[in-house]
Amino acid sequence: MTIVAPPAAAPSSTPPEEARVRALGRQIAAGQAKAGRTRTRALEDRGMEWLARDPALRAALFRLVDVAPACENRRDLAAHLAALLGEAERPGTPIGFARRVSTRRAGGPAVGALADLVVHRMATRFIVGADPGDAVPKLEQLWREGAAASVDLLGEATVTAAEADRYARRCDEALRTLADAARTWPARPTLDVVPRVNLSVKVTALTAKVKPDAPELGIADARHRLRTLLRTAKRVGAHLHVDMESMDSRELITQLVIDLLGEPEFRDGPSAGIVLQAYLKDADEQLDQLLDGIAQPFTVRLVKGAYWEHETVEARQHGWAAPVYETKVESDRAFECLTRRLLQARPHVRVAIASHNVRSIAHALACAPDRDLELQVLRGLGDDLQQALTGMGLRVRTYCPVGDLVAGMSYLVRRLLENTSNDSFLVNRTRGADLDALLTKP
Amino acid sequence: MSFTNEPLLELRRAPVRAGLTDALIALALPWSVPVIVAGERRDAPTFTSTDPGAPTRVVAEVTAATEADVDAAVHAAARAAPAWEAKGAHARAAILSRAAGELRRRRPQLAALAVRECAKPWPEADADVCEAIDFLEYYAQRAIALESTDGLVQLPGERNTLRYAARGVVAVVGPWNFPLAIPAGMVAAGLATGNGVVLKPAEQSPACALALVEAFHAAGVPPAALNLLPGEGDVGAALVAHPGVHTIAFTGSGAVGLSILKTAAELQPGQRHLKRVVAEMGGKNCVIVDADADLDDAVPALVYSAFGFAGQKCSAAARALVHHRVKDTLLERLHGAVDQLLIDQAERFGVDVPPVIEPAARDRIHAFVQTARDQGARVHQPGTVPPHGHFVAPAVIDGLPVGSRVTEEEIFGPVLAVESVRSVDEACAIVGAQPFALTGGLFSRDPATVERVSRLLPVGNLYVNRHITGAMVARQPFGGNRLSGTGTKAGGPDYLLQFVEPRVVTEDTMRHGLVV
């Protein structure tokens, strides 16, 4: 791979804003460096960096993590490990040894136990609890450290109405449980400008009728379930945030949120929000639609977008133009343009910037000297960042998945794949990439 | 030469959907489908094709071919073939590619026609048009490649050449379930290799066939090189038996396929060649679900494979062989997923189960479900069907006795039998004991299982961790083994070999002891 150094910035191309971005970026990075990091966490980070360099092993391990919950016992898990490593095996690697050990009668269960342990460790790094009640202590600890949370309930895919009902019921209970618990937490003036409890919901889990060519079917089916959740959120004073997923459900989700927030009972609450994905080439039109469609103040969480491979592969297989930017730099650039647009749309829009890219965060902060914005990070991956940002007195919210291991697997795999890709800011930082280069205007 | 599939419409975008709805409104019905022999149209309607969702809507008024038409068509094709072949592969390919362009230009209209005539839901109707285009472009390219094939060993003093000559007249007998793609593919294969072609489309989808023939003719295929003989089974039977036919390309039921093979084997008076049959017939396709399968993927894939287009694909899933450890969970989720299916007219976006092709099909499928009930099986068939149209609600059946007709015979409708197996190997044994071997499916996250099952199953197309329908030209060459077909692969690199005969010329290049 050729590494092309970014061109040195000419003095004339560094407007005052860029200087502020760099200064803020350095401040954040310094905070990250100071953040307490356990020895195991450092090892895990190095492991992830190592995985990013070996695509075959990376694929094998992620497929193991994916299948682990479906394995009957440790011997079964070991057999899967052996087969997966067999696929990744090439001459001159330690994989062959690991594979031989896992297929031995004596070695099998032991290796299975080890794999089991690794999978569980990885999962607990990202998942805060098996259910909302179980998660409360960790959420309170976060709050005391200066970070609010957005809770995301993991679950199996919804293919039946019963599953949609069950997910809606879990969300409803989560809102109540968390609202009850959060009432006793100490005051945090930085955080208390918005509801303490924040639940992220997935519309594709609220209906089994997600059809790309017929969004109206999903809207009709999910409507009553999402309406119930909005009512509960309003009653308990929580914020309800609707996550965005792949293009196949975008029209459904967007229109459903616009429809429901337009209903008279929701004009004065609850606090609600939606997601904007910067990697979409038509994100600007998407934002126009939201600004035109929703009358009351609402939150927009700006993300880069987590379905890049899905969108790219699907488009390729069907012969479509990819709906997403093909290079990271285009997404990063779009992210900054959208950041500016969102900040200008305040107070109609409450802005949440969800990124682990220090440059993107610094840019948002530079554009909002009043600091009236929220910064969101992912539990397990943005922990350093969370500490750095709370240390700067900023409003931080950590996205916290809740659920059991089986349910958490696809989330876990997605997060791991994302963050061990060669484009990842995190991987580049771990590799010791030059901070100034990473802070350069995209 | 590189091949890329025709891009499907991006139906998740509202303006694209609106374009199709407009095309459906603009579609002026009924069409008139004549007999076309050497470009001459004989238009004296004798039967109709109707909309399976609205039986009173006539889609086409059709003239059935007579025995005289059959004879005239075969002679016309035979006369036209030599000049057509003499054009050379490049020229023929250019014309086929132009015909693909004709289809491309009319994509919304053709999809609308398939919606009306065969009750194909929009995504499937659009895919059918795209596949037709793919076949034309792909076989055009393959014919050029075939013409330049030269793999013979050459020694000094002799020149060996291998040439693939057209076999003569190809009789194409097409199905209604892919009313555009499959006839287009078989016709294009015949034409690309320099044969004259006579097309006998299914009586249920003559208008789609006419649209194809017109596209070929408009693109420059000589009128006599492609003839259209609408009609019912008797027309197909007469065509297949005609002594002037060299190759028969057939896609349809096993019973008809076997009778074609038998007819083709009998030498007719005046016949001086052996007929070759390319037959794609039925299946009883199984999907194996192992204990480590991701049910989040397996359930929707099973539902789509079994019930998409009301199960009327030869590749559709008919049996799910499920590891006992996950069977109850899978069945519960499958039932719940079937509850969510939309049974409605094909033209409605988001429809899962459109009407089946005709009343006889509906009655046959109902009879299978009744058999299951009579045999004491559990039938989950929750849907209610619209009042008009030949609808059958999708059914999931389990608890069938071993050897039940429901698990052994092809139903060709929205019926899925679920059976519990103790292991993947037991499932493989069940599949291996079947007379059919068309498609198969496997859900497993163990590469060793995937490898083992791939080697064990005799099926022509095995799909792993995905739905088992929707083979793409050039990417998934399609066709079955055993009683499912003659083992040929439509949309594959060697398909055209069925339409040619190899001829080798060896020339002595020595003259008076010298190599000249």
Side-chain angles (χ1 to χ4, degrees):
Chain A
M1 194 174 70
T2 328
I3 295 170
V4 182
S12 61
S13 71
T14 313
E17 184 192 280
E18 278 305 301
R20 281 206 307 279
V21 173
R22 277 164 189 258
L24 285 160
R26 288 199 196 92
Q27 194 183 347
I28 296 167
Q32 280 181 290
K34 270 197 302 206
R37 186 183 288 208
T38 63
R39 186 187 293 264
T40 42
R41 175 58 62 87
L43 265 175
E44 279 174 28
D45 287 348
R46 278 236 296 287
M48 280 205 204
E49 196 273 324
W50 180 61
L51 280 184
R53 291 179 193 271
D54 189 339
L57 182 61
R58 175 173 169 244
L61 286 184
F62 292 145
R63 287 170 67 187
L64 178 75
V65 170
D66 177 56
V67 75
C71 290
E72 192 179 17
N73 51 41
R74 283 169 177 176
R75 185 180 291 279
D76 189 18
L77 185 63
H80 277 84
L81 177 63
L84 289 165
L85 289 177
E87 285 212 326
E89 189 174 4
R90 282 145 304 142
T93 66
I95 297 173
F97 173 73
R99 189 175 67 82
R100 285 192 300 278
V101 173
S102 24
T103 46
R104 270 180 218 148
R105 185 173 292 275
V111 172
L114 184 64
D116 201 27
L117 188 75
V118 170
V119 168
H120 276 84
R121 256 217 60 81
M122 278 157 82
T124 52
R125 170 169 171 176
F126 298 95
I127 298 169
V128 289
D131 60 56
D134 186 36
V136 161
K138 275 191 185 152
L139 297 175
E140 181 172 353
Q141 190 193 335
L142 264 181
W143 179 263
R144 289 178 185 278
E145 288 166 7
S150 186
V151 167
D152 164 39
L153 300 180
L154 300 171
E156 289 174 311
T158 292
V159 300
T160 70
E163 287 162 351
D165 287 336
R166 200 177 310 139
Y167 177 73
R169 206 160 50 238
R170 285 173 61 214
C171 286
D172 201 75
E173 285 164 11
L175 284 168
R176 295 165 200 274
T177 305
L178 297 173
D180 270 353
R183 220 164 275 137
T184 62
W185 297 349
R188 279 278 182 272
T190 317
L191 303 178
D192 275 329
V193 294
V194 290
R196 289 182 172 190
V197 170
N198 180 312
L199 183 73
S200 290
V201 296
K202 296 233 170 356
V203 172
T204 59
L206 286 174
T207 171
K209 294 183 176 170
V210 177
K211 294 181 176 167
D213 60 338
E216 65 278 4
L217 297 176
I219 291 172
D221 194 58
R223 190 192 302 273
H224 70 282
R225 297 191 183 95
L226 190 57
R227 189 188 285 124
T228 305
L229 293 181
L230 284 166
R231 283 181 185 152
T232 303
K234 188 173 179 179
R235 197 171 322 120
V236 303
H239 173 93
L240 196 70
H241 209 94
V242 178
D243 276 349
M244 199 53 82
E245 298 166 65
S246 75
M247 272 293 287
D248 286 343
S249 56
R250 186 181 74 171
E251 190 179 340
L252 188 178
I253 295 172
T254 306
Q255 199 53 52
L256 175 63
V257 169
I258 289 174
D259 286 357
L260 281 173
L261 293 185
E263 293 184 355
E265 64 173 306
F266 300 127
R267 286 301 174 90
D268 59 344
S271 170
I274 193 165
V275 174
L276 189 63
Q277 296 160 313
Y279 67 8
L280 291 177
K281 290 173 181 166
D282 62 354
D284 269 303
E285 286 90 325
Q286 178 77 1
L287 179 54
D288 291 339
Q289 195 187 350
L290 295 171
L291 292 174
D292 292 345
I294 302 174
Q296 67 268 46
F298 66 103
T299 304
V300 173
R301 177 199 295 151
L302 179 64
V303 302
K304 184 174 156 189
Y307 297 80
W308 190 86
E309 283 194 35
H310 169 87
E311 303 293 9
T312 309
V313 167
E314 189 178 44
R316 183 83 201 281
Q317 288 190 351
H318 293 120
W320 300 335
V324 294
Y325 292 115
E326 273 151 52
T327 65
K328 179 182 178 299
V329 69
E330 290 169 294
S331 292
D332 287 347
R333 214 174 283 149
F335 196 96
E336 297 195 357
C337 293
L338 290 164
T339 299
R340 279 193 292 272
R341 277 196 70 192
L342 288 169
L343 290 169
Q344 279 157 12
R346 296 178 298 173
H348 182 200
V349 169
R350 289 187 300 263
V351 183
I353 300 295
S355 173
H356 291 170
N357 185 324
V358 175
R359 157 79 206 185
S360 303
I361 301 169
H363 170 265
L365 291 171
C367 294
D370 60 6
R371 302 284 170 93
D372 180 19
L373 81 171
E374 188 168 285
L375 301 168
Q376 299 194 354
V377 299
L378 291 172
R379 160 86 188 177
L381 283 166
D383 299 355
D384 297 351
L385 195 54
Q386 174 199 311
Q387 288 190 42
L389 297 173
T390 53
M392 290 165 70
L394 297 164
R395 176 146 54 96
V396 179
R397 190 175 300 282
T398 302
Y399 190 88
C400 294
V402 166
D404 66 22
L405 196 58
V406 175
M409 278 311 142
S410 71
Y411 176 83
L412 187 55
V413 169
R414 177 187 301 290
R415 289 280 100 89
L416 288 174
L417 285 173
E418 226 170 82
N419 289 285
T420 53
S421 86
N422 274 304
D423 263 358
S424 158
F425 190 92
L426 292 173
V427 164
N428 284 318
R429 276 300 274 154
T430 316
R431 283 182 184 167
D434 178 50
L435 181 63
D436 277 341
L438 293 176
L439 288 176
T440 303
K441 188 178 169 68
Chain B
M1 238 177 312
S2 71
F3 173 84
T4 46
N5 299 103
E6 178 74 4
L8 299 168
L9 286 177
E10 200 174 350
L11 294 175
R12 61 190 180 184
R13 300 199 185 263
V16 178
R17 299 197 291 275
L20 288 180
T21 306
D22 290 347
L24 191 68
I25 292 166
L27 186 68
L29 297 178
W31 283 22
S32 176
V33 180
V35 171
I36 306 179
V37 175
E40 293 288 320
R41 293 176 172 235
R42 188 173 72 73
D43 203 349
T46 54
F47 72 100
T48 59
S49 74
T50 55
D51 182 342
T56 54
R57 177 186 286 130
V58 174
V59 177
E61 290 172 336
V62 196
T63 305
T66 59
E67 278 203 38
D69 291 326
V70 172
D71 189 56
V74 173
H75 280 106
R79 275 196 307 276
W84 172 242
E85 186 186 15
K87 279 179 180 288
H90 280 92
R92 294 192 304 268
I95 289 171
L96 290 190
S97 189
R98 210 175 309 142
E102 290 289 321
L103 299 180
R104 204 174 278 125
R105 209 165 46 75
R106 297 171 67 187
R107 273 183 62 175
Q109 188 200 32
L110 294 170
L113 192 60
V115 167
R116 281 284 183 249
E117 195 166 46
C118 301
K120 290 209 107 170
W122 283 115
E124 318 249 3
D126 175 52
D128 200 37
V129 183
C130 289
E131 192 179 358
I133 294 169
D134 283 350
F135 276 130
L136 268 56
E137 298 278 17
Y138 183 69
Y139 291 149
Q141 289 188 10
R142 296 311 307 173
I144 291 172
L146 195 63
E147 193 179 58
S148 54
T149 300
D150 183 13
L152 303 184
V153 172
Q154 307 290 349
L155 291 182
E158 66 179 28
R159 186 186 300 124
N160 300 311
T161 50
L162 168 64
R163 194 171 66 81
Y164 290 103
R167 301 190 78 244
V169 174
V170 177
V172 172
V173 181
W176 50 264
N177 64 337
F178 289 85
L180 296 161
I182 293 181
M186 297 191 292
V187 168
L191 290 174
T193 43
N195 294 277
V197 177
V198 181
L199 168 62
K200 203 301 270 188
E203 62 269 27
Q204 296 88 345
S205 58
C208 288
L210 175 64
L212 288 174
V213 169
E214 286 178 343
F216 281 109
H217 284 161
V221 171
L226 175 59
N227 305 277
L228 177 65
L229 299 180
E232 309 210 16
D234 56 324
V235 177
L239 177 60
V240 164
H242 196 287
V245 167
H246 296 80
T247 308
I248 299 155
F250 166 77
T251 303
S253 74
V256 175
L258 287 174
S259 109
I260 287 177
L261 282 158
K262 199 167 164 186
T263 306
E266 282 167 14
L267 210 58
Q268 303 293 325
Q271 183 182 331
R272 294 164 302 174
H273 57 269
L274 300 175
K275 291 181 184 176
R276 180 178 294 167
V277 180
V278 178
E280 282 299 334
M281 301 180 286
K284 188 73 183 176
N285 308 306
C286 300
V287 177
I288 301 173
V289 183
D290 198 3
D292 70 349
D294 189 339
L295 299 187
D296 283 0
D297 292 339
V299 172
L302 268 172
V303 167
Y304 179 69
S305 301
F307 305 126
F309 189 37
Q312 301 171 105
K313 303 178 192 177
C314 41
S315 54
R319 301 172 78 177
L321 307 173
V322 185
H323 194 286
H324 67 91
R325 191 143 63 79
V326 293
K327 189 215 167 200
D328 289 348
T329 312
L330 180 101
L331 205 51
E332 186 193 337
R333 297 187 79 186
L334 203 52
H335 284 179
V338 171
D339 295 344
Q340 298 296 297
L341 293 180
L342 178 61
I343 309 164
D344 208 342
Q345 299 293 348
E347 69 195 76
R348 183 169 176 194
F349 285 102
V351 72
D352 295 295
V353 186
V356 298
I357 190 71
E358 57 195 1
R362 180 194 55 205
D363 297 344
R364 186 191 68 240
I365 300 161
H366 279 157
F368 273 105
V369 176
Q370 189 54 47
T371 300
R373 289 202 171 93
D374 295 344
Q375 292 178 336
R378 176 167 59 154
V379 177
H380 183 77
Q381 193 178 23
T384 50
V385 301
H388 303 293
H390 319 306
F391 287 95
V392 179
V396 172
I397 301 175
D398 70 306
L400 284 159
V402 174
S404 163
R405 277 186 65 205
V406 181
T407 54
E408 303 304 311
E409 295 174 24
E410 183 173 45
I411 300 174
F412 221 65
V415 178
L416 177 69
V418 179
E419 298 152 72
S420 178
V421 291
R422 284 184 304 278
S423 65
V424 165
D425 294 278
E426 185 190 336
C428 287
I430 290 173
V431 178
Q434 291 197 132
F436 297 108
L438 186 48
T439 65
L442 169 65
F443 281 85
S444 164
R445 284 183 280 189
D446 184 342
T449 305
V450 174
E451 168 65 21
R452 192 168 79 252
V453 172
S454 308
R455 268 187 287 105
L456 278 175
L457 295 191
V459 299
N461 290 71
L462 175 66
Y463 297 92
V464 180
N465 293 329
R466 54 157 280 181
H467 56 92
I468 68 166
T469 60
M472 299 294 290
V473 169
R475 280 154 60 192
Q476 292 109 21
F478 182 82
N481 304 318
R482 296 193 177 172
L483 294 186
S484 292
T486 47
T488 47
K489 288 289 191 188
D494 49 8
Y495 186 69
L496 293 187
L497 289 175
Q498 306 302 321
F499 297 82
V500 291
E501 55 187 27
R503 295 182 191 165
V504 173
V505 176
T506 300
E507 186 181 352
D508 188 339
T509 58
M510 297 287 284
R511 289 289 183 279
H512 309 292
L514 297 171
V515 176
V516 292

